[in-house]
Amino acid sequence: MVKNQYVITERAHFMCPNMHFGIKAKMVMAYDLSKVRRTLDLLANAHPFLKSLIKTEDTTRKLFYKYFPEMQIPIVEKEDCSLWAKDYQALTECGWNVFCEGLLKIIVYPGKSGFEILFVVHHLLGDGRSILGLMCEFADCYASGNAPSYTDEQLICSIHDLPVGSDLSLISKIIINKANHDWRKEKHTVNYTDYLNFEKDFIHNNPTSYEIETLETEKVNGLLNLCRKHGISLNDYLVAEMMCKEQTDRVVIAVDIREQVTCYHKGALGNYATAIGIENASKSNNVIQKAEAVAKQIRRNLNNVQKKMMILACYFRLHPELIDAAAISTMGDFKSKAGKFVGSLILGYEKRNGYSVTNLGNVENLNIEEAMFIPPASPANKKTMGVLSVNRRMKKCTVCYENRSQAQSERSSEKKFEAQ
């Protein structure tokens, strides 16, 4: 990296539990562990973030990605790919110390005719689309032996990297300035060790489960034809489907902004996405009718630069350490009115009743038989769905927070049984 890349719009991923996600892919090539290691080394040489830890700059106290040339991506071999969810959770159940642990971990499942590989990723490494690109690079590099091209990461570092008109409205600026003022008056910050303890407790006390659905190519093609017939996108359909299934009026979707930011280098790791809320209060349970209304609102929001970039603009305006305090103040025992205000009003950590869809679209790759995107279990959500298609074969993975009172009751019953 030519210069320090600072954690700015990514700051909300720093001190927030479950800010990891995965992409699991089935490769068509024969398995060779030494070849997997060599391929990962080639990828790490091409992407500086794969050999980086998060550190604090002494002079400014800013967080940045510090490159360590000797770092290697850890690989764990497992036998049974049907146990991927257990393996995935075991790797992250104690949290993720980004000052000490690299931002990518690998699990491989050898098979007779191929193998499966699971990328377990901290969100500070990149968004879903960047890691999907990394997985495709891995597959192509493993198959050919050719090293990928070097890509220098250049993160979003200024409001001026966003399209003109992205800044907050006057009222929003006043609210953010008030929160910053209150935070400075409190004169305390979150200790990272305290955060890690909170993170571990949160993960233990808020178990997650996964719902998986596979749509074969024929069904996906039929769904695409249905969408074209009604003038909607597959993404519109997926959002409407969740609204109908979950009986919710609001779903948050991720929006790729790579083509709209001035700093993005093609193929770079990092976060180049925003999020927008889509609302529809109609009581119709007809997915197509709902999707037609959803499509109109998505278009309106995407055409409104200020709405589209609002969450990123908030991160630019908020004091970085106030963002750090949002999760632990709202869901933990750190006492900060300003932190709880941000966590409740802006990030949704108090109600924790959100629904979200991230559709990474379709990729064509002859070296990958199928793949699945395991989305991050945002504490603001009840359910978060990740969608990924490879060669028009779609997989939906929905991470759900289990009923907390039920989970606590079950744990109490387990303790009672153990005591007996």
Side-chain angles (χ1 to χ4, degrees):
M1 288 181 286
V2 177
K3 60 180 181 179
N4 283 353
Q5 294 297 308
Y6 296 103
V7 177
I8 302 176
T9 58
E10 301 80 14
R11 192 81 185 215
H13 305 148
F14 173 53
M15 287 203 201
C16 178
N18 284 331
M19 282 295 100
H20 58 270
F21 63 92
I23 291 186
K24 184 170 76 74
K26 188 173 184 180
M27 300 294 160
V28 300
M29 299 80 74
Y31 177 70
D32 181 338
L33 178 59
S34 63
K35 196 173 177 181
V36 171
R37 163 53 63 202
R38 188 164 61 251
T39 304
L40 289 171
D41 287 344
L42 290 173
L43 258 63
N45 290 335
H47 296 282
F49 280 3
L50 293 175
K51 291 187 175 186
S52 295
L53 300 174
I54 302 300
K55 295 295 179 183
T56 305
E57 196 172 54
D58 292 335
T59 54
T60 65
R61 306 304 298 163
K62 293 179 180 178
L63 298 176
F64 72 104
Y65 297 75
K66 185 172 177 60
Y67 181 74
F68 292 89
E70 70 280 6
M71 271 184 65
Q72 275 199 320
I73 299 165
I75 304 173
V76 179
E77 265 190 316
K78 294 285 184 175
E79 293 181 358
D80 189 351
C81 61
S82 69
L83 299 177
W84 69 264
K86 181 181 177 182
D87 298 334
Y88 177 76
Q89 290 177 318
L91 208 58
T92 54
E93 65 186 354
C94 292
W96 197 316
N97 187 333
V98 295
F99 288 110
C100 303
E101 302 175 72
L103 303 176
L104 174 64
K105 302 172 184 179
I106 302 292
I107 304 175
V108 287
Y109 300 92
K112 291 180 180 178
S113 58
F115 65 98
E116 294 198 30
I117 185 164
L118 174 57
F119 283 14
V120 185
V121 183
H122 196 286
H123 217 325
L124 287 171
L125 180 63
D127 56 28
R129 195 167 297 278
S130 66
I131 306 306
L132 174 58
L134 188 69
M135 180 66 81
C136 290
E137 270 192 334
F138 172 88
D140 295 342
C141 181
Y142 187 91
S144 69
N146 297 328
S149 300
Y150 178 83
T151 306
D152 202 26
E153 274 81 25
Q154 176 60 61
L155 296 176
I156 299 170
C157 62
S158 163
I159 192 74
H160 302 296
D161 288 330
L162 304 180
V164 174
S166 296
D167 209 351
L168 296 175
S169 66
L170 178 60
I171 293 175
S172 296
K173 287 178 185 176
I174 291 171
I175 292 170
I176 295 293
N177 289 341
K178 174 69 163 56
N180 286 335
H181 175 74
D182 292 346
W183 171 252
R184 283 189 288 267
K185 280 178 64 179
E186 290 177 1
K187 294 182 179 178
H188 64 163
T189 58
V190 181
N191 178 283
Y192 193 61
T193 301
D194 292 341
Y195 164 73
L196 290 175
N197 291 332
F198 156 72
E199 180 182 43
K200 185 176 180 180
D201 289 345
F202 180 90
I203 292 170
H204 177 73
N205 294 326
N206 293 269
T208 54
S209 58
Y210 300 89
E211 300 170 356
I212 312 299
E213 182 182 356
T214 301
L215 280 69
E216 300 296 340
T217 302
E218 185 179 352
K219 189 167 184 180
V220 173
N221 287 336
L223 195 53
L224 288 168
N225 288 333
L226 178 66
C227 289
R228 277 192 290 268
K229 179 181 175 183
H230 291 275
I232 58 176
S233 70
L234 182 57
N235 207 53
D236 301 329
Y237 183 92
L238 293 168
V239 173
E241 184 181 52
M242 177 173 268
M243 284 181 170
C244 292
K245 181 181 177 182
E246 303 298 336
Q247 293 295 292
T248 180
D249 295 341
R250 188 174 191 271
V251 171
V252 173
I253 64 170
V255 179
D256 180 25
I257 57 171
R258 281 166 173 71
E259 301 303 318
Q260 297 161 57
V261 295
T262 58
C263 58
Y264 176 66
H265 295 165
K266 188 174 181 181
L269 298 179
N271 287 272
Y272 306 93
T274 186
I276 56 174
I278 305 303
E279 297 188 24
N280 184 276
S282 82
K283 301 303 178 186
S284 172
N285 266 334
N286 182 297
V287 176
I288 291 295
Q289 287 180 1
K290 181 85 78 173
E292 288 172 339
V294 162
K296 291 177 182 176
Q297 186 171 8
I298 289 178
R299 282 196 294 270
R300 280 197 299 269
N301 284 14
L302 293 182
N303 289 331
N304 186 321
V305 174
Q306 195 172 62
K307 280 187 178 180
K308 184 165 61 175
M309 301 295 175
M310 184 167 64
I311 189 64
L312 299 181
C314 280
Y315 295 150
F316 278 122
R317 293 262 173 192
L318 283 164
H319 191 291
E321 291 176 343
L322 173 53
I323 300 174
D324 297 345
I328 194 171
S329 300
T330 313
M331 300 179 292
D333 57 6
F334 186 79
K335 304 302 180 188
S336 168
K337 289 184 179 179
K340 190 170 183 179
F341 173 80
V342 171
S344 304
L345 183 71
I346 299 176
L347 299 176
Y349 295 149
E350 186 170 49
K351 292 182 178 179
R352 300 189 57 204
N353 62 353
Y355 293 87
S356 177
V357 174
T358 297
N359 177 19
L360 298 184
N362 179 70
V363 294
E364 302 287 336
N365 193 302
L366 296 177
N367 299 315
I368 303 176
E369 184 176 327
E370 64 177 28
M372 178 173 70
F373 170 46
I374 307 154
S378 168
N381 290 342
K382 287 178 70 175
K383 290 190 176 184
T384 307
M385 184 168 72
V387 184
L388 173 58
S389 302
V390 175
N391 307 323
R392 294 289 180 91
R393 188 172 195 254
M394 179 191 289
K395 280 189 173 287
K396 301 178 186 176
C397 175
T398 304
V399 57
C400 318
Y401 278 104
E402 296 173 16
N403 184 288
R404 276 173 282 169
S405 58
Q406 178 184 342
Q408 287 166 355
S409 174
E410 288 172 355
R411 279 193 294 276
S412 297
S413 298
E414 287 172 6
K415 289 178 181 177
K416 186 177 180 180
F417 179 77
E418 287 169 2
Q420 290 173 341

